[in-house]
Each structure stands twice: as C-alpha cells, then as structure tokens.
Amino acid sequence: MGYQNNIAYLQQLTAAFFEEAYEQLIPTHTINVNVIAKDIDGDYSIVLFPYLKRFSTNPQALGDQIIQFLKAKKIPLQKAEVVKGFLNLTFESAFYDARLNEMFGEGSAFGSSASNGKTVIVEFCSPNTNKPIHLGHIRNILIGWSMSSILEFAGRAVKKVQIINDRGIAICKSMVAWKKLADGATPDSQSIKGDHFVGNYYVQFEKLFQKEYTDWQSGAGLDVYKSLKKEDESKEGFFKRYKNTYFNEYSQIGKEAREMLQQWESGEESVISLWKTMNGWVYDGFDTTYQALGVNFDKLYYESETYLRGKSTVEQGLVDDLFYRKEDGSIWVDLEEYGLDQKILLRSDGTSVYITQDIGTALQRYDDYAFDQCIYVVADEQDYHFQALFATMKKAKYSFSDQLYHLSYGMVDLPSGKMKSREGTVVDADDLITEVIAEAKANAKDSPNLQEITEEERAEVYNRIGLGALKYFILKVAAKKRMTFDPSQSVDMQGQTGPYIQNAYVRINSVLSKSDVDSITLSGEYTWSNQEKNVLILIDSFPRVVQESASEYDPSKVAHYAFDLAKEYHKFYHEHRILTAETDAAKVSRLLLSEVTGNVLKTSLRLLGIEMPERM
RNA sequence: GGCUCCGUAGCUCAGCUGGAUAGAGCAGCUGACUUCUAAUCAGCAGGUCUCAGGUUCGAAUCCUGACGGAGUCACCA
C-alpha cells in the first residue's frame, strides 16, 4: 500500500529542491513530470519552462541546479541532461530492481489505496420492470460495476445499489395485456425467460393500443384533428403529437391500464397479487442476466417502497414554504436561484412524478448508509433531471445534497443510428451475451492449449474470453462520450481488445508455470534493456492510473492502460528469451518482471469486471 | 430558440488540469511460427486535430466566434 510511483517521487524531489534553493513552496502536483517519448533519450523529464521567469533563470542553469540537488541526495541517476527546456533523467538500472521488488511485495494489492473511511453508494442498472435488459443497460451496468470496483480499490467502502422502477403505468400495461391475452400462461409454461415473457405483453399492449388509435384517427378522431390542429399541421404530425392525450382521455385500453394503476395505488388485492407475480417473473429473468454478466448488488431499492416517502417529503416541504402549490393543486419548486427552472414535484391529482421518488430514495439511502457520496450512473439524456434533483435537495437543505453526483454517460448508437424499440433495432442483452460467447468458442475450440482440460473448464474459458471482448469493447470508450456499437467489431479478438490483454496474461502464466525459480529478489546484477524499462515504467504508473480513473469517474483510463501494458509486454516477450535467457540474472529479472506484469494485468481487468482465463 | 455535450486517419477510439516530431486498433499491403501460447510481433501506407481569430516561450488541449452533429427544455421515466 505504501508504493510511491516514480512520477510522484520526482515531483516531490523537485518541490524539495525549490524549497531549499528558492525557499518557495510549489504544490507537488503542479510540477510537470512526464515519461519521455520513446525516441528521446531518458526515462522521465521535468518541464523547466514554468519556473524560468519566476526565478529569473534559464533552462540550463536551473536544470544544472536540480541535477546538483539530486546528486547531493544520492538519487541513483545514470544520466541527467537539459534538452530544450526539459530536464531529462535516466535512472540507474538497479533502481528499477528495487522498484520491482517493492511492487512484487505488494502482491495483488499493488495499485490500491488504504481505506479513507468514506462510504460511497453507486447506483446503476436501474431497469423498468416491463421489458428485458438491452445494450444500453449493459453499458450502464459495466460502467457502474467497474466504477464500483475502482473506487473500492482506491480506498472507499462501496455499496452497489439500484432503484427498480417497479410501479407505474408501464407495468400496468403488461398486466392488462396479460389478462386479456395470456389465458393463464406463465414463463414456465411457455419456456420463456421471465423478463422477455413480460416484455412481450408490453409489446402486445402497444399493438392493441396502436390499432385502437389508428382506427380512431379515421373516425371520431377526425373532428378532434380539425378542431385542435395547428395551422397547416398534417394529420400525421398532429396524431403523433396527440398520442399521449389520446391515451389519457379517449383510449379504452388506456383507461383499463390507468384504472389498474389506481387500483394498485389503493392496494386492491387482486391487482397487487398479479403485480407481484409478474414482477417476480421479471426479477428471475434479470437475475439470470446479471449472473451471466457476473455482476451483483448489495441492496435493491424499489420505487414502490420509496415513492410514498418522496410524497410526504414534498408535502412537508410545502408546509415549510420551500415549495409552492399552484391553483390546480400541483406542487412545484422554484429553482431559479440555481440557474434552473420551475419543476413539478407532485401532480395535481396528488400522484408522484419521477423526481418525487428520487427524493424519497435519496433520503432512504442516507438513512441506510450515511454515505459520503452517492453516485448515480444514468445516461446523459437525464442531465437536466439530476441538476434539478440535486438543486431541490439543496434547497430543502439536506446536509448531503452536495454529496450527490451524476455519473453521466453517453448513449449507445448502432452503425445504423439510434436504437429504437419501435423499429425493432434494440440489441437484447441476453442475445448479445450468447453471441459473444459463441464467437469466442468458434475461435478457441481448436486451440491446442485447451485439449487437456474438461469440457466444463473449456466452457468457462469461452465465457471469460467472450465477455472479455464485449466488456472491453464497451469500457474502452470514455464514459461521458456517446459511442457507436458495431456488433461485428464487438466480437473482435485481435488488436485493442479484451482477449489481446488476456492473451498477454496467459503467456505469462504459461512461462511462470514452466519456471523452476521459486522466490526472487533482485539486486541489480542485470542491466535492463530499453524495452524492459518500458514495461517497468508502465507498471510503476499503475497506481496513478487507478487514482485518475477514480477521481475522473472513468473506467476507460484503466482499460487503455491495460492495453498499453499488454502491448509492451507482448513486444518484450518477442524480443527477449525468458526461461532460456543469456544469464541467470537475466532470467530471474525477466521472470519477476513477468510476474508483476501479470498481476497488474489481472488486477486491471478485474477492475473492469473482466476475468482472466488461465489458458486460451 | 435557451442551456449542456461532442467534432482528431477510410472506420472505432486515445491524447484535452498547455510541453519535445499528434498516437493506437480495425480495414488495406509486405514480412516473421522445428525455438517460453502467432488471439502475437515487425514494417509500409494513411492527418488542414471542423473552420477563423485570440492568449504565450509553446495550443489538438485554454478563451471568443462561426459551422456541423447529439441531448434536453413534459402533470414521461
């Protein structure tokens, strides 16, 4: 846990220099230390430009001063020179032996931070219970899961939660359609996964509704069109716009769904019972998908259990004069002081809206965990909603309102454009998972390295490789950016992919298993090559990458790092013999380098929710 | 229209708290497996970092403005 990486080390030394030579305190993190580009001589460089004016000196003079300082401190430098305003430093080879020994000593904890005593809640996934999980949820889940792992590794106590949108008009639609059409069918009787089963009835409802609406448009709806249309508005445009109003005011089947919602709210026993049954089917289906993805949660919050608390909180806020009531009875909050708008908190009929239950849920969570931070992993289409939610909590003076954070990620597009359920272009999560694993199997089944293991073990290897490809493909893109998901690219296993990284680990694993060397401590007998130093410098930077990924809420940093490291290792592997190295010193050095690299690769992928196969 | 985000190679993406000659992967072309796992490696080719100004020793990165794309501005979630 005490590992200090080389960049931080040099920053600290430079700060100490400025303090000693100029009696100036310069914050260490502002000192610009970089790993030197490959084609320039040296390991690290300190950028001197920022200090020239301030200390009225020139690069050469300042550089020389720092060099003298470092020499006096007995820093093991092999070379130090000033080049065009940069102080370029090369450590002695033996310095890296010591660093590698340290990294090895940390074992699988290398890169982690000691607990900082903070509790962080990460909310992710959070599906509706009326349809199965799709590609959009997968990105959400992978970001949420990975972020949780990274934060935990970086020293926080993490609780993974979801808010399940288990009530409301959507699930009632599925229930109405089931009652009309199912004739008692169940997921078991039809051999369909529960969430898909319920989702099918949701689709059936929409079909019935659409037919009813279309019929109406050429009958009674015509008069409505004529009397309400805007100037020059086409029939098509009008009826598109009018759909919600039709649903609420005219639709027969819409009325059935709304009545069911009212019966639900008033606790009508038969409705509650059907609701429980159908949601139960959905949860069984979800569980299967979570298991396939290898994720789980510490606690599930249900909207049906938190919305009442949201309502009463809003009503109390009205009494406390934080909110106001309009003439029609709806309750609003004025967020202009936060640069936002008026926002509705309760409908005129007293029922709750989206933000209402979010208020209740946040309070419930704070009661449960007294969190230091609560992170909501939700797509960027809801940016405004979360601004409004957080501002409302602030206005209501909740102590934790500044500890709420919206991890806003970009939505997933297909090469053909946006996913649209109406056009059937939504990529189903279960299908996708099945497909990537099948692809991995197709690639791996003839591998000579998988012949000696059992069928079960082989299946596990296909699993890890397929999911590794899928997860890496999604997580390598910066969370906040919108991404294009090309299904054919997502199953690629060459180049910048999960399997490429897994392959580097498998190679290491294979070499280590053939080695006869037990415990190793290096003592500088071997001089590292440049390529080996590239790997050493990279593994040294791992703790820094983890910190960055955590503080920027972005798993893609870890993803790119894992690839960079695998790439450097593959290159090293080609250029150097390990088990049959020139000398024993070279052999043990390379073995230790390989082992630490393997550790870091495994940890990196674990932080992304990807498991390593032992062979492939 | 207001606000927010995005624009880097044919495609998918890094680099953005200012640093050295803008990088990967895929796709294309050429090579390397009797040798520790070739899901690998080496090489070739591919760029007006959307555009125009500004800030400065230095700008893909920061500022301003345009252009292009997306999201949002619901008594939906």
Side-chain angles (χ1 to χ4, degrees):
Chain A
M1 300 263 208
Y3 191 83
Q4 181 189 38
N5 84 4
N6 294 335
I7 287 179
Y9 179 54
L10 287 171
Q11 285 176 321
Q12 223 166 68
L13 285 169
T14 310
F17 160 79
F18 282 122
E19 192 177 350
E20 188 179 295
Y22 293 96
E23 295 180 344
Q24 294 275 331
L25 290 175
I26 295 181
T28 51
H29 71 273
T30 66
I31 295 169
N32 201 340
V33 178
N34 299 309
V35 175
I36 292 183
K38 290 227 170 88
D39 37 7
I40 299 172
D41 190 37
D43 300 341
Y44 295 92
S45 73
I46 301 169
V47 184
L48 302 176
F49 293 109
Y51 312 106
L52 301 182
K53 211 176 269 177
R54 179 162 173 186
F55 300 120
S56 33
T57 178
N58 63 70
Q60 192 62 51
L62 179 62
D64 285 341
Q65 268 185 300
I66 298 176
I67 292 171
Q68 289 316 310
F69 176 85
L70 295 175
K71 279 188 177 159
K73 292 274 181 201
K74 302 235 170 11
I75 307 302
L77 291 171
Q78 184 199 87
K79 192 172 176 186
E81 58 177 346
V82 179
V83 182
K84 292 194 289 186
F86 301 88
L87 173 56
N88 293 349
L89 304 172
T90 308
F91 285 111
E92 283 174 9
S93 182
F95 172 79
Y96 288 102
D97 287 47
R99 304 302 271 159
L100 192 56
N101 288 336
E102 273 184 72
M103 290 188 262
F104 179 66
E106 303 250 333
S108 61
F110 174 59
S112 66
S113 306
S115 165
N116 67 0
K118 306 279 188 201
T119 297
V120 178
I121 291 188
V122 182
E123 176 203 285
F124 61 100
C125 189
S126 301
N128 293 338
T129 59
N130 63 312
K131 51 190 166 198
I133 288 176
H134 60 69
L135 176 56
H137 293 113
I138 289 194
R139 188 176 195 200
N140 182 309
I141 291 170
L142 297 181
I143 290 171
W145 177 268
S146 174
M147 211 56 246
S148 302
S149 305
I150 290 167
L151 289 169
E152 194 153 34
F153 199 60
R156 279 76 149 181
V158 174
K159 296 293 171 194
K160 303 183 290 285
V161 307
Q162 0 184 9
I163 175 74
I164 297 177
N165 303 297
D166 63 341
R167 62 175 280 275
I169 195 72
I171 184 67
C172 288
K173 289 179 180 178
S174 291
M175 287 156 65
V176 166
W178 184 85
K179 280 182 82 168
K180 280 182 180 308
L181 307 168
D183 193 25
T186 68
D188 277 346
S189 76
Q190 305 292 302
S191 300
I192 302 177
K193 197 162 161 284
D195 50 337
H196 291 264
F197 179 85
V198 172
N200 289 343
Y201 287 101
Y202 184 79
V203 172
Q204 289 303 318
F205 180 95
E206 289 299 329
K207 278 187 183 159
L208 290 174
F209 169 72
Q210 192 56 50
K211 183 176 184 308
E212 188 196 280
Y213 189 37
T214 306
D215 291 347
W216 182 78
Q217 286 170 21
S218 51
L222 269 182
D223 293 337
V224 177
Y225 163 66
K226 282 173 191 155
S227 64
L228 292 181
K229 69 166 183 151
K230 291 178 193 160
E231 203 173 345
D232 290 339
E233 190 172 24
S234 71
K235 253 193 214 174
E236 199 186 20
F238 172 80
F239 284 123
K240 197 173 175 187
R241 175 166 69 82
Y242 198 70
K243 193 169 175 181
N244 263 341
T245 316
Y246 172 79
F247 179 86
N248 287 319
E249 293 181 11
Y250 296 90
S251 170
Q252 184 53 41
I253 195 169
K255 193 176 165 197
E256 287 179 52
R258 276 181 294 113
E259 278 173 3
M260 191 165 277
L261 181 59
Q262 279 163 8
Q263 289 169 338
W264 183 90
E265 295 225 357
S266 60
E268 167 79 35
E269 208 168 298
S270 65
V271 171
I272 297 286
S273 160
L274 177 60
W275 171 76
K276 280 186 177 162
T277 302
M278 290 188 74
N279 273 344
W281 293 336
V282 172
Y283 299 146
D284 285 346
F286 286 170
D287 284 345
T288 305
T289 307
Y290 298 151
Q291 207 171 358
L293 277 175
V295 302
N296 54 63
F297 299 87
D298 297 305
K299 190 169 173 68
L300 306 181
Y301 288 87
Y302 297 89
E303 192 185 301
S304 59
E305 291 169 2
T306 60
Y307 82 106
L308 290 173
R309 181 162 184 182
K311 277 170 81 164
S312 59
T313 304
V314 170
E315 278 151 9
Q316 184 58 44
L318 188 65
V319 173
D320 297 341
D321 223 17
L322 299 165
F323 312 139
Y324 63 94
R325 193 191 287 278
K326 281 192 182 175
E327 279 179 15
D328 63 6
S330 55
I331 299 179
W332 294 70
V333 58
D334 180 354
L335 299 174
E336 269 178 32
E337 61 199 283
Y338 304 100
L340 304 172
D341 232 329
Q342 323 289 318
K343 190 87 185 165
I344 188 162
L345 300 179
L346 273 184
R347 294 193 185 98
S348 49
D349 64 3
T351 58
S352 67
V353 291
Y354 187 38
I355 198 169
T356 323
Q357 50 250 13
D358 277 349
I359 293 169
T361 308
L363 292 169
Q364 189 59 47
R365 283 180 186 157
Y366 194 74
D367 284 353
D368 290 346
Y369 294 111
F371 55 76
D372 296 283
Q373 190 177 33
C374 179
I375 298 172
Y376 296 82
V377 181
V378 180
D380 61 8
E381 61 179 348
Q382 294 190 33
D383 285 355
Y384 184 79
H385 166 76
F386 281 100
Q387 283 182 37
L389 173 66
F390 300 165
T392 304
M393 298 302 280
K394 200 179 178 87
K395 180 150 187 162
K397 297 195 173 60
Y398 287 108
S399 59
F400 57 85
S401 63
D402 287 331
Q403 295 155 16
L404 305 173
Y405 179 80
H406 176 204
L407 198 175
S408 165
Y409 66 90
M411 305 225 276
V412 182
D413 289 324
L414 300 173
S416 55
K418 291 177 66 171
M419 282 197 285
K420 288 178 183 158
S421 55
R422 208 165 296 159
E423 292 166 24
T425 55
V426 175
V427 177
D428 176 73
D430 298 313
D431 291 348
L432 187 57
I433 293 166
T434 307
E435 194 186 323
V436 291
I437 293 171
E439 183 70 20
K441 182 174 180 178
N443 270 297
K445 66 180 190 323
D446 297 328
S447 165
N449 309 308
L450 298 178
Q451 299 312 314
E452 297 154 24
I453 58 175
T454 66
E455 189 54 47
E456 208 170 299
E457 289 168 326
R458 266 198 292 276
E460 181 58 24
V461 171
Y462 305 149
N463 230 292
R464 291 182 180 194
I465 295 173
L467 285 173
L470 175 63
K471 291 180 177 183
Y472 190 86
F473 184 76
I474 290 173
L475 285 173
K476 74 176 180 188
V477 181
K480 70 179 288 198
K481 287 200 181 180
R482 206 175 175 92
M483 72 172 288
T484 306
F485 184 90
D486 184 335
S488 67
Q489 283 179 18
S490 72
V491 296
D492 275 352
M493 310 211 173
Q494 260 108 43
Q496 191 184 3
T497 64
Y500 174 97
I501 301 165
Q502 290 171 322
N503 183 234
Y505 174 83
V506 164
R507 281 181 146 178
I508 291 169
N509 198 40
S510 175
V511 170
L512 293 178
S513 70
K514 290 177 174 135
S515 151
D516 51 4
V517 179
D518 294 339
S519 70
I520 342 173
T521 304
L522 302 183
S523 51
E525 287 161 24
Y526 171 68
T527 304
W528 298 103
S529 69
N530 283 336
Q531 181 53 31
E532 286 165 329
K533 271 169 67 173
N534 287 340
V535 179
L536 284 160
I537 287 170
L538 255 183
I539 52 181
D540 168 83
S541 70
F542 180 54
R544 212 177 164 76
V545 172
V546 173
Q547 290 304 329
E548 223 178 84
S549 213
S551 63
E552 290 176 29
Y553 303 101
D554 188 3
S556 74
K557 305 265 185 220
V558 170
H560 282 275
Y561 171 82
F563 172 71
D564 290 342
L565 179 56
K567 189 175 159 66
E568 286 301 339
Y569 186 84
H570 276 307
K571 190 170 176 173
F572 151 78
Y573 181 90
H574 254 263
E575 291 178 5
H576 300 80
R577 308 291 312 157
I578 301 171
L579 295 174
T580 53
E582 318 81 79
T583 63
D584 274 353
K587 179 176 164 183
V588 295
S589 299
R590 288 170 193 165
L591 278 170
L592 191 64
L593 178 63
S594 297
E595 182 150 10
V596 174
T597 300
N599 281 344
V600 174
L601 288 175
K602 189 172 189 174
T603 304
S604 304
L605 288 202
R606 182 174 64 73
L607 296 181
L608 301 177
I610 300 172
E611 290 182 283
M612 284 294 189
E614 296 303 314
R615 54 178 77 198
M616 63 195 290

